[in-house]
Amino acid sequence: MNETKLIRALRRGQRGALDKAVAQYSGYAAAIARSVLGPAATREDLEEIVSDVFVALWRSADRLDETRPLKGYLAAIARNAAIDRLRRLHPTEPLPADDLLHADEADGPEAQALRREQAETLRRLLLEMAADDREIFVRFYYYRQTVREIAQIMDRNESTVKARLARGRARLRDKLTKEADGYAD
């Protein structure tokens, strides 16, 4: 069954359509969830997220657009469900920037203090970014996902992801330069 027919069948509420969607896209939804959860992904979490994805699909089937790919819609649901799961698992987890500049025990107190200050500055600047830009930045630099993976997960064009990374780097560089100039005064 092609995707347009599948969407039409889902919109009509045909139960067999949901079974076909599950059979066709459950592996894809699980892969998206696994990429978001990273090493925190358990089999049970993935199964629950995939179930949630298809429950959400069934509940919103009447709003599906035949001109938009179902795969992208399911990817967005899976990504958001996995992010929600991460938030529930680690509600107070710090931004990855806290770990990027983690002080080495062998360093002296001055070096440790400088690294903590740099990490806090980076964390603050990341929080100032727009949510999508921050997510792209963290996925690329912290989770080491490729531009292609990020584009697929976030349902974006690869060139858009590259452009947002470049703009994010430029903004961070400008802000860090301005702050460094402020310290020199």
Coordinates of all heavy atoms in Angstrom, one line a residue, residues 51-145:
S51 N 4.9 2.6 20.7 CA 3.5 2.4 20.9 C 2.8 3.8 21.0 O 1.7 4.0 20.4 CB 3.2 1.7 22.2 OG 3.6 0.3 22.1
D52 N 3.4 4.7 21.7 CA 2.9 6.1 21.8 C 2.8 6.8 20.5 O 1.9 7.5 20.2 CB 3.8 6.9 22.8 CG 3.6 6.5 24.2 OD1 2.7 5.7 24.6 OD2 4.5 6.9 25.1
V53 N 3.8 6.5 19.6 CA 3.8 7.1 18.3 C 2.6 6.7 17.5 O 1.9 7.5 16.9 CB 5.1 6.7 17.5 CG1 5.0 7.0 16.1 CG2 6.3 7.4 18.2
F54 N 2.3 5.4 17.6 CA 1.2 4.9 16.8 C -0.2 5.2 17.4 O -1.2 5.4 16.7 CB 1.4 3.5 16.4 CG 2.5 3.3 15.4 CD1 3.7 2.9 15.8 CD2 2.3 3.7 14.1 CE1 4.8 2.8 14.9 CE2 3.4 3.6 13.2 CZ 4.6 3.1 13.6
V55 N -0.2 5.4 18.7 CA -1.5 5.8 19.3 C -1.7 7.3 18.9 O -2.8 7.7 18.6 CB -1.4 5.7 20.9 CG1 -2.5 6.5 21.6 CG2 -1.4 4.2 21.3
A56 N -0.7 8.1 18.9 CA -0.8 9.5 18.5 C -1.2 9.6 17.0 O -2.0 10.4 16.6 CB 0.5 10.2 18.7
L57 N -0.6 8.7 16.2 CA -1.0 8.7 14.8 C -2.5 8.3 14.6 O -3.2 9.0 13.9 CB -0.2 7.6 14.0 CG -0.5 7.4 12.6 CD1 -0.3 8.6 11.7 CD2 0.2 6.2 12.0
W58 N -3.0 7.4 15.3 CA -4.4 6.9 15.2 C -5.3 8.1 15.7 O -6.3 8.4 15.1 CB -4.6 5.7 16.1 CG -6.0 5.1 16.0 CD1 -6.9 5.1 16.9 CD2 -6.5 4.5 14.8 NE1 -8.1 4.6 16.4 CE2 -7.9 4.2 15.2 CE3 -6.1 4.2 13.5 CZ2 -8.7 3.5 14.3 CZ3 -6.9 3.6 12.7 CH2 -8.2 3.2 13.0
R59 N -4.9 8.7 16.8 CA -5.7 9.8 17.3 C -5.8 11.0 16.4 O -6.7 11.8 16.5 CB -5.2 10.2 18.7 CG -5.5 9.2 19.8 CD -5.1 9.6 21.1 NE -5.4 8.6 22.1 CZ -4.9 8.6 23.3 NH1 -4.0 9.4 23.7 NH2 -5.3 7.6 24.2
S60 N -4.7 11.3 15.7 CA -4.7 12.5 14.9 C -4.8 12.1 13.4 O -4.5 13.0 12.5 CB -3.4 13.2 15.1 OG -2.3 12.4 14.7
A61 N -5.3 10.9 13.1 CA -5.4 10.5 11.7 C -6.2 11.4 10.8 O -5.9 11.6 9.6 CB -5.9 9.1 11.6
D62 N -7.3 12.0 11.4 CA -8.2 12.8 10.6 C -7.5 14.1 10.2 O -8.0 14.8 9.3 CB -9.5 13.1 11.4 CG -9.2 13.8 12.8 OD1 -8.1 13.6 13.4 OD2 -10.0 14.6 13.2
R63 N -6.4 14.5 10.8 CA -5.7 15.7 10.5 C -4.5 15.5 9.6 O -3.7 16.4 9.3 CB -5.2 16.4 11.7 CG -6.4 16.9 12.6 CD -5.9 17.7 13.8 NE -5.0 17.1 14.6 CZ -5.2 16.4 15.7 NH1 -6.5 16.3 16.1 NH2 -4.3 15.8 16.4
L64 N -4.3 14.2 9.1 CA -3.1 13.9 8.3 C -3.3 14.6 6.9 O -4.4 14.7 6.4 CB -3.0 12.4 8.1 CG -2.5 11.6 9.3 CD1 -2.6 10.1 9.0 CD2 -1.1 12.1 9.7
D65 N -2.2 15.1 6.4 CA -2.1 15.7 5.1 C -1.5 14.7 4.1 O -0.4 14.3 4.2 CB -1.3 17.0 5.2 CG -1.3 17.8 3.9 OD1 -1.8 17.3 2.8 OD2 -0.7 18.9 3.9
E66 N -2.3 14.4 3.0 CA -1.8 13.5 2.0 C -0.6 14.0 1.2 O 0.1 13.2 0.6 CB -3.0 13.2 1.0 CG -4.1 12.4 1.7 CD -5.3 12.3 0.7 OE1 -5.1 12.3 -0.5 OE2 -6.4 12.0 1.2
T67 N -0.4 15.3 1.2 CA 0.7 15.8 0.5 C 2.0 15.8 1.2 O 3.1 16.1 0.7 CB 0.4 17.3 0.0 OG1 0.3 18.1 1.2 CG2 -0.9 17.3 -0.8
R68 N 2.0 15.5 2.5 CA 3.2 15.5 3.3 C 3.5 14.1 3.7 O 2.7 13.2 3.9 CB 3.0 16.3 4.6 CG 2.6 17.7 4.3 CD 3.0 18.7 5.3 NE 4.3 18.6 5.8 CZ 4.8 19.1 6.9 NH1 4.0 19.8 7.6 NH2 6.0 19.0 7.2
P69 N 4.8 13.7 3.7 CA 5.2 12.4 4.0 C 4.9 11.9 5.4 O 5.1 12.6 6.4 CB 6.8 12.4 3.8 CG 7.1 13.7 3.4 CD 5.9 14.6 3.5
L70 N 4.3 10.7 5.5 CA 3.9 10.2 6.8 C 5.2 9.9 7.6 O 5.2 10.0 8.8 CB 3.1 8.9 6.5 CG 2.6 8.2 7.8 CD1 1.6 9.1 8.5 CD2 1.8 6.9 7.4
K71 N 6.3 9.5 6.9 CA 7.5 9.2 7.6 C 8.0 10.4 8.4 O 8.5 10.3 9.6 CB 8.6 8.8 6.6 CG 9.8 8.1 7.1 CD 10.6 7.6 6.0 CE 11.7 6.7 6.5 NZ 12.5 6.2 5.4
G72 N 8.0 11.6 7.9 CA 8.4 12.8 8.6 C 7.5 13.1 9.8 O 8.0 13.5 10.8
Y73 N 6.2 12.9 9.6 CA 5.3 13.1 10.7 C 5.6 12.1 11.8 O 5.6 12.5 13.0 CB 3.8 12.9 10.2 CG 2.8 13.1 11.2 CD1 2.4 14.4 11.6 CD2 2.0 12.0 11.7 CE1 1.4 14.6 12.5 CE2 1.0 12.2 12.6 CZ 0.7 13.5 13.0 OH -0.3 13.7 13.9
L74 N 5.8 10.9 11.5 CA 6.1 9.9 12.5 C 7.5 10.2 13.2 O 7.6 10.0 14.4 CB 6.1 8.5 11.9 CG 4.7 8.0 11.4 CD1 4.9 6.7 10.7 CD2 3.8 7.8 12.6
A75 N 8.4 10.7 12.4 CA 9.7 11.0 13.0 C 9.6 12.1 14.0 O 10.2 12.0 15.1 CB 10.7 11.4 11.9
A76 N 8.8 13.1 13.7 CA 8.6 14.2 14.7 C 7.9 13.7 15.9 O 8.3 14.1 17.0 CB 7.7 15.3 14.0
I77 N 6.9 12.8 15.8 CA 6.2 12.3 17.0 C 7.2 11.5 17.8 O 7.3 11.6 19.0 CB 5.0 11.4 16.6 CG1 3.9 12.3 15.9 CG2 4.4 10.8 17.8 CD1 2.8 11.4 15.3
A78 N 8.0 10.6 17.2 CA 9.0 9.8 17.9 C 10.0 10.6 18.6 O 10.4 10.4 19.7 CB 9.6 8.8 16.9
R79 N 10.5 11.6 17.9 CA 11.6 12.5 18.4 C 11.0 13.2 19.7 O 11.6 13.2 20.7 CB 12.0 13.6 17.4 CG 13.0 14.6 18.0 CD 13.4 15.6 16.9 NE 12.3 16.3 16.3 CZ 11.8 17.5 16.8 NH1 12.4 18.0 17.9 NH2 10.8 18.1 16.3
N80 N 9.8 13.8 19.6 CA 9.2 14.5 20.7 C 8.9 13.5 21.9 O 9.1 13.9 23.0 CB 8.0 15.2 20.3 CG 8.3 16.4 19.4 OD1 9.4 16.9 19.4 ND2 7.3 16.8 18.5
A81 N 8.4 12.4 21.6 CA 8.2 11.4 22.6 C 9.4 11.0 23.3 O 9.5 10.8 24.6 CB 7.5 10.2 22.0
A82 N 10.5 10.8 22.6 CA 11.8 10.4 23.2 C 12.4 11.6 24.0 O 12.9 11.3 25.1 CB 12.8 10.0 22.1
I83 N 12.2 12.8 23.5 CA 12.7 13.9 24.3 C 11.9 14.0 25.6 O 12.5 14.3 26.7 CB 12.6 15.2 23.5 CG1 13.7 15.2 22.4 CG2 12.7 16.5 24.4 CD1 13.5 16.3 21.4
D84 N 10.6 13.8 25.5 CA 9.8 13.8 26.8 C 10.2 12.7 27.7 O 10.3 13.0 28.9 CB 8.3 13.6 26.4 CG 7.7 14.9 25.8 OD1 8.3 15.9 25.8 OD2 6.6 14.7 25.2
R85 N 10.6 11.6 27.2 CA 11.0 10.5 28.0 C 12.3 10.9 28.7 O 12.5 10.6 29.9 CB 11.2 9.2 27.2 CG 11.9 8.0 27.9 CD 11.0 7.5 29.1 NE 9.7 7.3 28.7 CZ 9.1 6.1 28.5 NH1 9.8 5.0 28.6 NH2 7.9 6.0 28.2
L86 N 13.2 11.5 28.0 CA 14.5 11.9 28.6 C 14.3 12.9 29.7 O 14.9 12.9 30.7 CB 15.4 12.6 27.5 CG 16.3 11.6 26.7 CD1 17.0 12.4 25.6 CD2 17.2 10.8 27.5
R87 N 13.3 13.8 29.5 CA 13.0 14.8 30.5 C 12.5 14.2 31.7 O 12.8 14.6 32.9 CB 12.0 15.9 29.9 CG 12.7 16.8 29.0 CD 11.7 17.9 28.5 NE 12.3 18.7 27.5 CZ 11.7 19.1 26.4 NH1 10.5 18.8 26.1 NH2 12.4 19.9 25.6
R88 N 11.7 13.2 31.6 CA 11.1 12.4 32.7 C 12.2 11.7 33.4 O 12.2 11.6 34.7 CB 10.0 11.5 32.3 CG 8.7 12.3 32.1 CD 7.5 11.3 32.0 NE 7.6 10.2 31.1 CZ 7.3 10.2 29.8 NH1 6.8 11.3 29.3 NH2 7.4 9.1 29.1
L89 N 13.1 11.1 32.7 CA 14.2 10.3 33.3 C 15.2 11.1 34.0 O 15.7 10.7 35.0 CB 14.9 9.4 32.2 CG 14.1 8.3 31.6 CD1 14.9 7.7 30.4 CD2 13.7 7.2 32.6
H90 N 15.4 12.3 33.4 CA 16.5 13.2 34.0 C 15.9 14.6 34.1 O 16.4 15.5 33.3 CB 17.7 13.2 33.1 CG 18.2 11.8 32.9 ND1 18.9 11.0 33.8 CD2 18.2 11.0 31.8 CE1 19.2 9.9 33.3 NE2 18.8 9.8 32.1
P91 N 15.0 14.9 35.0 CA 14.4 16.2 35.0 C 15.3 17.4 35.3 O 15.1 18.5 34.9 CB 13.3 16.1 36.0 CG 13.7 14.9 36.9 CD 14.5 14.0 36.0
T92 N 16.4 17.1 36.0 CA 17.3 18.2 36.3 C 18.7 18.0 35.7 O 19.6 18.6 36.1 CB 17.5 18.2 37.9 OG1 18.0 17.0 38.3 CG2 16.2 18.6 38.6
E93 N 18.7 17.2 34.7 CA 20.0 17.0 34.0 C 20.5 18.3 33.4 O 19.8 19.0 32.7 CB 19.8 15.9 32.8 CG 21.0 15.7 32.0 CD 21.4 14.2 32.0 OE1 20.8 13.5 32.8 OE2 22.2 13.9 31.2
P94 N 21.7 18.6 33.6 CA 22.3 19.8 33.1 C 22.5 19.8 31.6 O 22.5 18.7 31.0 CB 23.7 19.9 33.8 CG 24.0 18.5 34.0 CD 22.7 17.8 34.3
L95 N 22.6 20.9 31.0 CA 22.9 20.9 29.5 C 24.3 20.2 29.3 O 25.1 20.3 30.2 CB 23.0 22.4 29.0 CG 21.7 23.0 28.6 CD1 22.0 24.5 28.3 CD2 21.1 22.3 27.4
P96 N 24.5 19.7 28.2 CA 25.7 19.0 27.9 C 27.0 19.9 28.1 O 28.0 19.4 28.3 CB 25.6 18.5 26.4 CG 24.1 18.4 26.2 CD 23.5 19.5 27.1
A97 N 26.8 21.2 27.9 CA 28.0 22.0 28.0 C 28.7 21.9 29.4 O 29.9 22.1 29.5 CB 27.5 23.5 27.9
D98 N 27.9 21.5 30.4 CA 28.5 21.3 31.7 C 29.6 20.2 31.7 O 30.5 20.2 32.4 CB 27.4 20.9 32.7 CG 26.5 22.0 33.0 OD1 26.8 23.2 32.7 OD2 25.4 21.8 33.5
D99 N 29.4 19.2 30.8 CA 30.4 18.1 30.7 C 31.4 18.4 29.7 O 32.5 17.8 29.7 CB 29.6 16.8 30.3 CG 28.7 16.3 31.3 OD1 28.9 16.6 32.5 OD2 27.7 15.7 31.0
L100 N 31.2 19.3 28.7 CA 32.2 19.6 27.7 C 33.5 20.1 28.2 O 34.5 19.8 27.7 CB 31.6 20.6 26.7 CG 30.4 20.1 25.8 CD1 29.9 21.2 24.9 CD2 30.9 18.9 24.9
L101 N 33.4 20.9 29.2 CA 34.6 21.5 29.8 C 34.9 21.0 31.2 O 35.3 21.8 32.0 CB 34.5 23.0 29.7 CG 34.3 23.6 28.3 CD1 33.9 25.1 28.4 CD2 35.6 23.4 27.5
H102 N 34.6 19.8 31.4 CA 34.7 19.2 32.8 C 36.2 19.3 33.2 O 37.1 19.0 32.5 CB 34.3 17.7 32.8 CG 34.2 17.1 34.1 ND1 33.3 17.5 35.0 CD2 35.0 16.2 34.7 CE1 33.5 16.8 36.2 NE2 34.5 16.0 36.0
A103 N 36.3 19.8 34.5 CA 37.7 20.0 35.0 C 38.3 18.7 35.3 O 37.7 17.7 35.8 CB 37.6 20.8 36.3
D104 N 39.6 18.6 34.9 CA 40.4 17.4 35.1 C 40.9 17.5 36.6 O 41.4 18.5 37.0 CB 41.6 17.4 34.1 CG 42.3 16.1 34.2 OD1 42.1 15.3 35.1 OD2 43.2 15.9 33.3
E105 N 40.9 16.4 37.3 CA 41.3 16.3 38.7 C 42.8 16.6 38.8 O 43.2 17.2 39.8 CB 41.1 14.9 39.2 CG 39.6 14.5 39.3 CD 38.9 15.2 40.4 OE1 39.5 15.5 41.5 OE2 37.7 15.6 40.1
A106 N 43.6 16.4 37.8 CA 45.0 16.7 37.8 C 45.3 18.1 37.7 O 46.4 18.6 38.0 CB 45.7 15.9 36.7
D107 N 44.4 18.9 37.1 CA 44.6 20.4 37.0 C 44.6 21.0 38.3 O 44.0 20.6 39.3 CB 43.5 21.0 36.1 CG 43.6 20.6 34.7 OD1 44.7 20.2 34.3 OD2 42.6 20.7 33.9
G108 N 45.3 22.2 38.4 CA 45.3 23.0 39.6 C 44.0 23.7 39.8 O 43.1 23.7 38.9
P109 N 43.8 24.3 41.0 CA 42.6 25.0 41.3 C 42.3 26.1 40.3 O 41.1 26.3 40.0 CB 42.8 25.6 42.7 CG 44.0 24.9 43.2 CD 44.8 24.3 42.1
E110 N 43.3 26.8 39.8 CA 43.0 27.9 38.8 C 42.5 27.4 37.5 O 41.5 27.9 37.0 CB 44.3 28.7 38.5 CG 44.9 29.4 39.7 CD 45.8 28.6 40.6 OE1 46.2 27.5 40.1 OE2 46.1 28.9 41.7
A111 N 43.0 26.3 37.0 CA 42.6 25.7 35.8 C 41.2 25.1 35.9 O 40.3 25.3 35.0 CB 43.5 24.6 35.3
Q112 N 40.9 24.5 37.1 CA 39.6 24.0 37.3 C 38.5 25.1 37.4 O 37.4 25.0 36.8 CB 39.5 23.2 38.6 CG 40.3 21.9 38.5 CD 40.2 21.1 39.8 OE1 39.5 21.4 40.8 NE2 41.0 20.0 39.9
A113 N 38.9 26.2 38.1 CA 38.0 27.4 38.1 C 37.7 28.0 36.8 O 36.6 28.3 36.4 CB 38.6 28.4 39.1
L114 N 38.8 28.1 36.0 CA 38.6 28.6 34.6 C 37.7 27.7 33.8 O 36.8 28.2 33.1 CB 40.0 28.8 33.9 CG 40.0 29.3 32.5 CD1 39.4 30.7 32.4 CD2 41.4 29.3 31.9
R115 N 37.9 26.4 33.9 CA 37.0 25.5 33.1 C 35.6 25.6 33.5 O 34.7 25.5 32.7 CB 37.5 24.1 33.2 CG 38.7 23.8 32.4 CD 38.8 22.3 32.0 NE 39.9 22.1 31.1 CZ 41.1 21.5 31.4 NH1 41.2 21.0 32.6 NH2 42.0 21.4 30.6
R116 N 35.4 25.7 34.9 CA 34.0 25.8 35.4 C 33.4 27.1 34.8 O 32.2 27.1 34.4 CB 34.0 25.8 36.9 CG 34.0 24.4 37.5 CD 33.7 24.4 39.0 NE 34.6 25.2 39.7 CZ 35.7 24.7 40.2 NH1 36.1 23.5 40.0 NH2 36.5 25.5 40.9
E117 N 34.1 28.2 34.8 CA 33.6 29.5 34.3 C 33.3 29.4 32.8 O 32.3 29.9 32.4 CB 34.7 30.5 34.6 CG 34.2 31.9 34.2 CD 35.2 33.0 34.6 OE1 35.9 32.9 35.6 OE2 35.4 33.9 33.7
Q118 N 34.2 28.7 32.1 CA 34.0 28.6 30.6 C 32.7 27.7 30.4 O 31.9 28.0 29.5 CB 35.2 27.9 30.0 CG 36.4 28.8 29.9 CD 37.6 28.1 29.4 OE1 37.7 26.8 29.6 NE2 38.6 28.8 28.9
A119 N 32.6 26.6 31.2 CA 31.4 25.8 31.0 C 30.1 26.5 31.3 O 29.1 26.4 30.6 CB 31.5 24.5 31.9
E120 N 30.1 27.4 32.4 CA 28.9 28.1 32.7 C 28.6 29.2 31.6 O 27.5 29.4 31.3 CB 29.1 28.8 34.1 CG 27.9 29.6 34.5 CD 26.6 28.8 34.5 OE1 26.6 27.6 34.9 OE2 25.6 29.4 34.1
T121 N 29.6 29.8 31.1 CA 29.4 30.8 30.0 C 28.8 30.1 28.8 O 27.8 30.5 28.2 CB 30.7 31.4 29.6 OG1 31.3 32.1 30.8 CG2 30.5 32.4 28.5
L122 N 29.4 28.9 28.4 CA 28.9 28.2 27.3 C 27.4 27.7 27.5 O 26.6 27.8 26.7 CB 29.8 27.0 27.0 CG 29.5 26.2 25.7 CD1 29.4 27.0 24.5 CD2 30.5 25.1 25.6
R123 N 27.2 27.2 28.7 CA 25.8 26.8 29.1 C 24.8 28.0 29.0 O 23.8 27.8 28.4 CB 25.8 26.3 30.5 CG 24.5 25.8 31.0 CD 24.6 25.2 32.4 NE 23.4 24.5 32.8 CZ 22.2 25.1 33.2 NH1 22.1 26.5 33.1 NH2 21.2 24.4 33.5
R124 N 25.2 29.1 29.5 CA 24.3 30.3 29.4 C 24.1 30.7 28.0 O 22.9 31.0 27.6 CB 24.9 31.4 30.2 CG 24.1 32.7 30.2 CD 24.7 33.8 31.1 NE 26.1 34.0 30.9 CZ 26.7 34.6 29.9 NH1 26.0 35.1 28.9 NH2 28.0 34.7 29.9
L125 N 25.1 30.7 27.1 CA 25.0 31.1 25.7 C 24.1 30.1 25.0 O 23.3 30.4 24.1 CB 26.3 31.2 25.1 CG 27.2 32.4 25.6 CD1 28.5 32.4 25.0 CD2 26.4 33.7 25.4
L126 N 24.3 28.8 25.3 CA 23.4 27.8 24.7 C 21.9 28.0 25.0 O 21.0 27.8 24.2 CB 23.8 26.4 25.1 CG 25.1 25.8 24.4 CD1 25.5 24.5 25.0 CD2 24.9 25.6 22.9
L127 N 21.7 28.3 26.3 CA 20.3 28.6 26.7 C 19.7 29.8 26.0 O 18.5 29.9 25.9 CB 20.2 28.7 28.2 CG 20.4 27.4 29.0 CD1 20.5 27.7 30.5 CD2 19.2 26.5 28.7
E128 N 20.5 30.7 25.6 CA 20.1 31.9 24.9 C 19.7 31.7 23.5 O 19.0 32.4 22.8 CB 21.1 33.0 25.0 CG 21.3 33.6 26.3 CD 22.5 34.6 26.4 OE1 23.0 35.0 25.3 OE2 22.8 35.1 27.5
M129 N 20.1 30.5 22.9 CA 19.8 30.2 21.5 C 18.4 29.8 21.4 O 17.7 29.4 22.4 CB 20.7 29.0 21.1 CG 22.1 29.2 20.8 SD 22.8 27.6 20.3 CE 24.1 28.2 19.3
A130 N 17.8 30.0 20.2 CA 16.5 29.5 19.9 C 16.5 28.0 20.1 O 17.5 27.3 19.9 CB 16.1 29.8 18.5
A131 N 15.3 27.4 20.5 CA 15.3 26.0 20.9 C 15.7 25.1 19.7 O 16.5 24.2 20.0 CB 13.8 25.6 21.3
D132 N 15.3 25.3 18.5 CA 15.7 24.5 17.4 C 17.3 24.6 17.2 O 17.9 23.6 16.9 CB 15.0 24.9 16.1 CG 13.7 24.2 15.9 OD1 13.3 23.4 16.8 OD2 13.0 24.4 14.9
D133 N 17.8 25.8 17.2 CA 19.2 26.0 17.0 C 20.0 25.3 18.1 O 21.0 24.6 17.9 CB 19.6 27.5 17.0 CG 19.1 28.2 15.7 OD1 18.8 27.5 14.7 OD2 19.0 29.4 15.7
R134 N 19.5 25.4 19.4 CA 20.2 24.8 20.5 C 20.2 23.2 20.3 O 21.2 22.6 20.5 CB 19.5 25.2 21.8 CG 20.2 24.5 23.0 CD 19.6 25.0 24.3 NE 18.2 24.9 24.4 CZ 17.4 26.0 24.5 NH1 17.8 27.2 24.5 NH2 16.1 25.8 24.6
E135 N 19.0 22.7 19.9 CA 18.9 21.3 19.7 C 19.9 20.8 18.6 O 20.6 19.8 18.8 CB 17.5 20.8 19.3 CG 17.3 19.4 19.2 CD 15.9 18.9 18.9 OE1 15.0 19.7 19.0 OE2 15.7 17.7 18.6
I136 N 20.0 21.5 17.5 CA 20.9 21.1 16.5 C 22.3 21.2 17.0 O 23.1 20.3 16.7 CB 20.7 22.1 15.2 CG1 19.4 21.7 14.5 CG2 21.9 21.9 14.2 CD1 18.9 22.8 13.5
F137 N 22.7 22.2 17.7 CA 24.0 22.4 18.2 C 24.4 21.3 19.1 O 25.5 20.7 19.0 CB 24.1 23.8 18.9 CG 25.4 24.5 18.8 CD1 25.8 25.2 17.6 CD2 26.3 24.4 19.8 CE1 27.0 25.8 17.6 CE2 27.5 25.0 19.8 CZ 27.9 25.7 18.6
V138 N 23.5 21.0 20.1 CA 23.8 20.0 21.1 C 23.9 18.6 20.4 O 24.8 17.8 20.7 CB 22.7 20.0 22.2 CG1 22.8 18.8 23.1 CG2 22.9 21.3 23.0
R139 N 23.0 18.3 19.5 CA 23.0 17.0 18.8 C 24.4 16.9 18.0 O 25.0 15.8 18.0 CB 21.9 16.9 17.8 CG 20.6 16.6 18.4 CD 19.5 16.5 17.4 NE 18.2 16.1 18.0 CZ 17.9 14.9 18.4 NH1 18.8 14.0 18.3 NH2 16.8 14.7 19.0
F140 N 24.8 17.9 17.4 CA 26.0 17.9 16.5 C 27.3 17.8 17.4 O 28.1 16.9 17.2 CB 26.1 19.1 15.6 CG 27.2 19.0 14.6 CD1 27.1 18.2 13.5 CD2 28.4 19.7 14.8 CE1 28.1 18.1 12.5 CE2 29.4 19.6 13.9 CZ 29.3 18.8 12.7
Y141 N 27.4 18.7 18.4 CA 28.7 18.8 19.1 C 28.7 17.9 20.4 O 29.8 17.4 20.8 CB 28.9 20.2 19.5 CG 29.3 21.0 18.4 CD1 28.5 21.9 17.8 CD2 30.6 20.9 17.8 CE1 28.8 22.7 16.7 CE2 31.0 21.6 16.7 CZ 30.1 22.5 16.1 OH 30.5 23.2 15.0
Y142 N 27.6 17.6 21.0 CA 27.6 16.8 22.2 C 27.3 15.3 21.9 O 28.0 14.4 22.3 CB 26.6 17.3 23.2 CG 26.7 16.5 24.5 CD1 27.8 16.6 25.3 CD2 25.6 15.7 24.8 CE1 27.8 15.9 26.5 CE2 25.6 15.0 26.0 CZ 26.7 15.1 26.9 OH 26.8 14.3 28.0
Y143 N 26.2 15.1 21.1 CA 25.8 13.7 20.8 C 26.6 13.1 19.6 O 26.4 12.0 19.2 CB 24.3 13.6 20.6 CG 23.6 13.8 21.9 CD1 22.7 14.9 22.0 CD2 23.7 13.0 23.0 CE1 22.0 15.1 23.2 CE2 23.0 13.2 24.2 CZ 22.2 14.3 24.3 OH 21.5 14.6 25.4
R144 N 27.3 14.0 18.9 CA 28.1 13.6 17.7 C 27.3 13.0 16.6 O 27.7 12.1 15.9 CB 29.2 12.7 18.1 CG 30.1 13.1 19.2 CD 31.2 14.1 18.6 NE 32.2 14.4 19.6 CZ 32.7 15.5 19.8 NH1 32.3 16.5 19.0 NH2 33.6 15.8 20.7
Q145 N 26.1 13.5 16.4 CA 25.2 13.1 15.3 C 25.7 13.8 14.1 O 26.1 15.0 14.1 CB 23.8 13.3 15.6 CG 23.2 12.5 16.8 CD 21.8 12.8 17.1 OE1 21.3 13.9 16.8 NE2 21.1 11.9 17.7

